[in-house]
Amino acid sequence: MSEGIRWPRSRPGGTLFRGGRWITMDAADRIVDGEMFVVDGRIEQFGPTVSAPEGTPVVDLAGKWMTPGFIQGHVHLGQTLFRGLGEDRRLLEWLTDVIWPLEAAHDDESAYWSAIVGGAEAMRAGTTALLDIGLVHGMNGLFRGLIDLGIRARTGKLLMDRGEGAPAALLSEPDPILAESHELARHWDGVDNGRIGYAVCPRFVFSCTPALWEGAVAQARGGNWPLHTHAFETREEQDAVRALEHRSELDTLQDVGALTVPLKVAHGVWVDDPTAERLGAAAAAIIHCPADLDRLRRHGIRVGIGCDGSPCNNFLDPLGEMRLAALLQKWRHGPDRFTARDALALATREGALAIDAEDRIGSLEVGKRADFVVFDLERVHTLCAEAVDPYTRIVFGADRTNIESVYIEGRAVVDQGRIPGFEDGEILARGREALRALLARAGRFGGPAPPVKMTP
Ligand SMILES: [Zn+2]
């Protein structure tokens, strides 16, 4: 794990970003050919031309396309090192066979490198802000990794006090769990000039007793933190909750008070109209990974997008998720529904609403933070007619290889593909070392791959 912060956080004075086409995602959907003047991370002036003091450092973006930074409302950076180990399993088997035993073996060092490996990938794919659901162990390492990357993030200790098949090392009594969560929040919430924040993270109804839920809701309310959880993901999980609680998942959430605080639900795949109506009335947000967006929006639910974790999705790539979201809506409701602009909104202005950060991020306009992605569309695979809709060019045309640089508060956190403060060779070597040690502690998956079985 690193000692101290890896790279300078602030540049005195302002920066002028000159040229290029800016897709603002503001309320008027303006597209601006022009300049942006950023002071102390905030967009001070923005338009066809701006007036910056003489001597202001200039970043030349002529010929590039910019969008607001992408916001992921649900990720598990702590699972990045488990990529590929849980394929072809159903949810509860995936948790008990693979994820829980590996999460139980995390320490600060492995959590740190898991955050760096996952965060580097997510940032290179345009992510500037994320809501992570944390880990049971290794949270100090995870927070330090987020800070060293320079990303805007909220996360918190993953809360669990029950779960058939869960290793004892992941479970404890509600009081010590909540005390540790509170201590982590006290230490990390608001650090890095407010770019790092806390979230209270009960894993899901199946792995938290009502007593833990009630304590988590009280903690979220007391600290004004989001309550970040999983729900309505699979039918199997909902049946398991009903067998355990003798009530539906939604009734359980309501009875423990979860609908009275800012609730951020990952998945929401199996949400019917009555459930959507109650979630909408409670001002809950659902993070698509994936869901029926038409239904959720009809009931006023705020919707964002997230890549979840590497061992279930492999890629932490918001452009891939936007494309998937749009294609799924088109498959379900018809090809004339859910445009490229709708998909981009999920990862920008609507994603900001879903994590309650719309006052700072989600669109490019004066007063907001200068978090943005720089695309180079002058590539063979993105050649198209000038008349092509700009949103289509980004969402259906570009992929992460078109992303050149990524800025958070006017500072490059991805600079021509590089992550300042890290070399890829170091990330690979230290990430692999941390993974090897974790697998040895877990006593699983340490050997070579089994021989490939041929399908008869
Ligand atoms: Zn998840």
Side-chain angles (χ1 to χ4, degrees):
M1 219 162 83
S2 76
E3 299 299 326
I5 286 164
R6 284 247 174 169
W7 52 290
R9 321 290 322 160
S10 59
R11 181 189 289 176
T15 306
L16 175 62
F17 295 92
R18 179 168 283 160
R21 176 159 293 178
W22 304 78
I23 298 176
T24 67
M25 296 309 286
D26 68 3
D29 281 324
R30 287 183 314 141
I31 293 178
V32 174
D33 287 331
E35 305 178 337
M36 179 185 280
F37 180 44
V38 176
V39 178
D40 295 333
R42 191 176 158 276
I43 303 173
E44 191 85 9
Q45 297 176 48
F46 183 33
T49 55
V50 302
S51 59
E54 201 154 321
T56 299
V58 174
V59 177
D60 183 8
L61 297 176
K64 309 297 180 195
W65 290 61
M66 276 65 71
T67 67
F70 301 147
I71 299 161
Q72 294 206 46
H74 178 69
V75 290
H76 297 247
L77 289 187
Q79 292 181 356
T80 312
L81 299 178
F82 314 155
R83 190 193 320 269
L85 289 173
E87 303 299 320
D88 308 321
R89 285 175 171 84
R90 301 183 74 84
L91 175 64
L92 298 179
E93 184 193 357
W94 177 80
L95 286 168
T96 53
D97 285 5
V98 181
I99 300 302
W100 285 345
L102 295 180
E103 281 186 357
H106 253 310
D107 62 12
D108 282 336
E109 179 76 11
S110 55
Y112 175 84
W113 286 106
S114 195
I116 298 295
V117 173
E121 183 196 358
M123 281 168 34
R124 281 186 172 131
T127 308
T128 54
L130 49 85
L131 179 59
D132 180 274
I133 200 159
L135 286 168
V136 175
H137 304 301
M139 279 309 297
N140 287 308
L142 188 66
F143 272 114
R144 176 143 309 275
L146 294 169
I147 292 168
D148 281 356
L149 287 167
I151 199 165
R152 189 184 297 286
R154 265 184 196 280
T155 186
K157 178 179 167 67
L158 189 55
L159 312 178
M160 299 175 63
D161 68 340
R162 70 175 175 191
E164 198 186 322
L170 287 181
L171 307 178
S172 182
E173 294 298 315
D175 285 349
I177 292 173
L178 291 164
E180 190 188 340
S181 176
H182 189 265
E183 182 57 24
L184 285 163
R186 203 188 55 76
H187 191 78
W188 296 107
D189 187 48
V191 305
D192 206 21
N193 207 19
R195 280 182 293 273
I196 298 295
Y198 201 72
V200 180
C201 301
R203 181 167 217 140
F204 66 145
V205 171
F206 186 72
S207 67
C208 302
T209 60
L212 181 57
W213 270 104
E214 282 162 14
V217 169
Q219 199 165 80
R221 183 177 293 113
N224 199 22
W225 297 309
L227 190 69
H228 184 194
T229 192
H230 300 95
F232 319 110
E233 181 175 0
T234 66
R235 287 183 157 148
E236 175 188 32
E237 158 226 346
Q238 292 183 295
D239 291 345
V241 165
R242 197 174 279 282
L244 205 56
E245 286 293 328
H246 311 292
R247 51 188 168 174
S248 73
E249 197 169 26
L250 182 61
D251 284 343
T252 311
L253 289 171
Q254 178 167 298
D255 292 349
V256 297
L259 303 187
T260 63
V261 292
L263 178 65
K264 312 300 174 193
V265 175
H267 302 297
V269 181
W270 300 100
V271 171
D272 56 14
D273 277 314
T275 303
E277 195 180 334
R278 285 165 67 190
L279 289 170
I286 287 186
I287 310 304
H288 172 278
C289 6
D292 180 348
L293 297 173
D294 228 47
R295 184 199 303 272
L296 302 180
R297 286 175 156 176
R298 209 166 53 239
H299 290 284
I301 296 175
R302 296 175 170 196
V303 186
I305 202 166
C307 291
D308 210 356
S310 299
C312 61
N313 191 1
N314 291 293
F315 294 129
L316 301 177
D317 175 2
L319 278 169
E321 293 311 298
M322 284 178 231
R323 187 183 165 86
L324 176 66
L327 295 179
L328 285 173
Q329 305 314 307
K330 287 175 181 298
W331 168 72
R332 194 174 174 109
H333 301 290
D336 55 340
R337 302 294 289 276
F338 215 82
T339 64
R341 190 183 62 188
D342 291 331
L344 187 59
L346 279 185
T348 56
R349 65 179 174 226
E350 290 186 32
L353 269 169
I355 62 163
D356 307 322
E358 70 278 11
D359 57 331
R360 282 157 288 151
I361 56 174
S363 59
L364 298 173
E365 46 196 312
V366 169
K368 287 207 176 179
R369 303 294 197 274
D371 292 9
F372 59 89
V373 186
V374 180
F375 286 84
D376 177 6
L377 299 181
E378 291 299 312
R379 307 276 175 85
V380 171
H381 71 277
T382 37
L383 184 147
C384 62
E386 282 301 311
V388 171
D389 164 61
Y391 304 96
T392 296
R393 288 183 80 148
I394 297 291
V395 175
F396 294 136
D399 62 29
R400 57 185 173 176
T401 65
N402 291 90
I403 295 177
E404 203 172 76
S405 297
V406 179
Y407 287 82
I408 295 178
E409 300 195 349
R411 288 164 298 115
V413 293
V414 176
D415 188 1
Q416 306 292 319
R418 278 195 63 250
I419 308 280
F422 292 92
E423 296 297 336
D424 274 15
E426 181 197 15
I427 297 178
L428 276 167
R430 299 292 300 274
R432 194 167 282 135
E433 192 182 309
L435 171 59
R436 207 171 281 141
L438 183 147
L439 296 180
R441 286 194 298 275
R444 296 193 185 211
F445 304 114
V452 176
K453 281 190 208 126
M454 301 301 284
T455 308

